[in-house]
């Protein structure tokens, strides 16, 4: 999969991509992440890409031309989805991640400052995603979240694909508790069933715990 990130701050991403699962996905050539610095399309010596909002008010707006030029530089006439990160977008979830997993190439557009020019959103952006009901300074952190969620699902990246399939949210529920050695930690015991070797019972226990935790913490998921 190719992920093109359009950003004013490409340097933000370097440590994130050089560790853990994103690093493995890139090394195994399952994922390629390209960075396009929106300022390279500013068209002026000062590399300025923002301007005052029409109608007045606080905050600056990212100008449309550098955004459109950088999108078209990537698309070159091809239909590549353009995802814009904004608190106004639909809330990102595992189903949406899987929707994009089947795309060979996507564009992640990171806004900054107050907003980007609405015409880019109306005519060039194909989807708007939010990572939660709070406001960040820009789309870089949401883009990293999307890259991470996609990287770990690429074929051959996780050593055990079952591990991804039993994650929270994969089946619409939160995950069950996990334990490792020692079985007795100063009197804090691992549940007997997990030591029993009876895989049918273990599966039932995990399913039951998954349901209980979802009921307690996110009953809205059960309604869905
Ligand atoms: N940009 C700023 N805040 C955001 C959020 N909560 N989700 C996605 N993009 C954002």
């Amino acid at each position: 999969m190719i992920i093109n990130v359009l950003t004013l701050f490409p340097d933000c991403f370097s440590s994130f991509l050089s560790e853990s699962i994103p690093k493995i996905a890139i090394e195994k050539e399952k994922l390629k992440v390209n960075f396009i610095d929106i300022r390279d399309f500013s068209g002026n010596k000062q590399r300025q890409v923002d301007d005052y909002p029409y109608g007045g008010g606080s905050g600056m707006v990212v100008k449309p031309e550098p955004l459109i030029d950088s999108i078209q530089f990537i698309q070159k006439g091809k239909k590549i989805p353009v995802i814009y990160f904004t608190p106004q977008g639909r809330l990102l979830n595992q189903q949406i991640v899987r929707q994009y997993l089947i795309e060979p190439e996507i564009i992640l557009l990171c806004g900054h400052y107050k907003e980007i020019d609405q015409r880019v959103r109306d005519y060039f952006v194909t989807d708007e995603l939010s990572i939660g009901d709070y406001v960040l300074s820009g789309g870089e952190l949401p883009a990293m979240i999307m890259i991470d969620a996609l990287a770990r699902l690429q074929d051959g990246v996780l050593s055990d694909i079952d591990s991804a399939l039993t994650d929270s949210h994969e089946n619409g529920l939160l995950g069950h508790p996990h334990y490792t050695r020692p079985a007795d930690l100063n009197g804090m015991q691992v549940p007997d069933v997990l030591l029993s070797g009876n895989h049918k019972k273990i599966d039932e226990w995990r399913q039951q715990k998954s349901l209980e935790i979802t009921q307690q913490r996110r009953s809205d998921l059960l309604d869905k």
Side-chain angles (χ1 to χ4, degrees):
M1 180 172 198
I2 301 174
I3 303 181
N4 302 287
V5 182
L6 273 49
T7 171
L8 294 167
F9 302 99
D11 291 348
C12 288
F13 292 81
S14 51
S15 68
F16 158 68
L17 291 179
S18 58
E19 303 283 352
S20 185
I21 302 292
K23 178 184 176 190
I24 294 170
I26 291 167
E27 279 178 355
K28 290 193 167 178
E29 298 186 354
K30 301 293 180 184
L31 181 68
K32 187 167 187 331
V33 187
N34 299 318
F35 293 97
I36 296 88
D37 186 338
I38 296 164
R39 286 185 203 282
D40 290 345
F41 296 84
S42 67
N44 61 68
K45 250 218 232 113
Q46 301 73 33
R47 294 169 62 77
Q48 188 169 352
V49 291
D50 57 343
D51 207 340
Y52 294 98
Y54 274 124
S58 62
M60 298 293 272
V61 178
V62 183
K63 290 158 64 64
E65 301 94 325
L67 295 172
I68 295 168
D69 289 350
S70 47
I71 290 170
Q72 291 180 336
F73 171 76
I74 296 298
Q75 286 184 324
K76 297 193 172 72
K78 284 181 285 176
K79 266 201 166 165
I80 302 174
V82 181
I83 300 164
Y84 173 56
F85 292 106
T86 164
Q88 298 168 0
R90 60 193 178 122
L91 207 51
L92 181 62
N93 60 30
Q94 194 67 11
Q95 213 183 329
I96 298 176
V97 172
R98 289 211 168 261
Q99 172 195 332
Y100 283 107
L101 189 63
I102 57 175
E103 295 287 345
E105 185 164 5
I106 59 173
I107 295 173
L108 303 182
L109 173 56
C110 309
H112 229 88
Y113 309 120
K114 186 78 185 167
E115 254 305 346
I116 65 170
D117 189 283
Q118 182 63 34
R119 289 162 292 186
V120 177
R121 298 172 67 174
D122 291 344
Y123 296 103
F124 296 89
V125 165
T126 56
D127 198 1
E128 297 195 338
L129 297 178
S130 164
I131 59 159
D133 294 338
Y134 42 84
V135 181
L136 303 166
S137 358
E140 283 73 18
L141 285 168
M144 286 185 222
I145 285 168
M146 187 71 172
I147 295 169
D148 187 273
L150 287 166
R152 61 194 297 287
L153 294 180
Q154 300 297 319
D155 262 354
V157 170
L158 293 183
S159 50
D160 176 3
I161 191 60
D162 274 359
S163 159
L165 295 177
T166 56
D167 282 335
S168 284
H169 297 295
E170 277 296 351
N171 62 357
L173 298 176
L174 300 182
H176 57 75
H178 295 77
Y179 297 88
T180 186
R181 286 183 285 186
D184 181 341
L185 178 68
N186 301 327
M188 294 177 273
Q189 306 281 352
V190 170
D192 284 342
V193 61
L194 298 180
L195 310 175
S196 69
N198 182 335
H199 288 284
K200 187 165 174 286
K201 282 246 151 57
I202 292 172
D203 286 346
E204 283 168 6
W205 180 87
R206 287 178 167 163
Q207 178 70 11
Q208 181 57 33
K209 285 289 168 193
S210 232
L211 275 167
E212 278 173 27
I213 292 168
T214 310
Q215 178 71 57
Q216 284 160 7
R217 301 187 180 184
R218 291 290 305 277
S219 57
D220 59 300
L221 294 176
L222 294 177
D223 299 339
K224 284 182 197 156

